[in-house]
Amino acid sequence: MPTVEVADLKDGDFLLDVREDDEWQAGHAAQALHIPISDFVARYGELTEAAPQDARVHVICRSGGRSAQVTMYLVQQGIDAVNVDGGMQVWQAAGRPVVTDEGQPGHVL
């Protein structure tokens, strides 16, 4: 499974958050696209429209399990996708910003 460390992510990397709505609302990376894993197949077109052409998709969830499933699906579809190791827990622990939809400080559920 293709994997990347949070520390290796750069500003501007395309980030797909597959956590559920309540997790997203508590806090997320500001630049992330949110498509919950429970809706992912039905909303797949939103990803293909939003992701820059030929850009890598960095998939993140809380700890890495759900994002690993989505990463494997995307790779099977021929998309350059990688799982973010440790997910939002590591993101937050590394001091990366976690915000709410209103731009206020958030937290990881």
Side-chain angles (χ1 to χ4, degrees):
M1 153 114 41
T3 303
V4 67
E5 302 292 324
V6 167
D8 295 329
L9 292 172
K10 297 170 186 51
D11 288 343
D13 282 345
F14 187 82
L15 191 63
L16 171 66
D17 189 324
V18 297
R19 296 174 303 146
E20 295 303 322
D21 288 336
D22 61 330
E23 295 171 286
W24 170 266
Q25 290 165 4
H28 55 270
Q31 76 276 19
L33 171 67
H34 178 229
I35 304 176
I37 191 171
S38 59
D39 296 338
F40 188 75
V41 173
R43 294 176 55 189
Y44 177 74
E46 291 177 40
L47 171 65
T48 58
E49 287 178 19
Q53 189 125 11
D54 299 324
R56 173 169 283 172
V57 176
H58 301 82
V59 188
I60 198 165
C61 67
R62 181 174 185 266
S63 61
R66 290 171 286 178
S67 55
Q69 293 175 44
V70 172
T71 298
M72 291 305 294
Y73 176 82
L74 292 174
V75 168
Q76 290 170 352
Q77 306 307 309
I79 293 178
D80 180 11
V82 293
N83 187 35
V84 178
D85 193 40
M88 287 299 296
Q89 290 178 320
V90 171
W91 177 279
Q92 182 172 267
R96 298 269 183 135
V98 177
V99 298
T100 65
D101 284 338
E102 294 77 32
Q104 299 300 314
H107 64 280
V108 176
L109 287 182

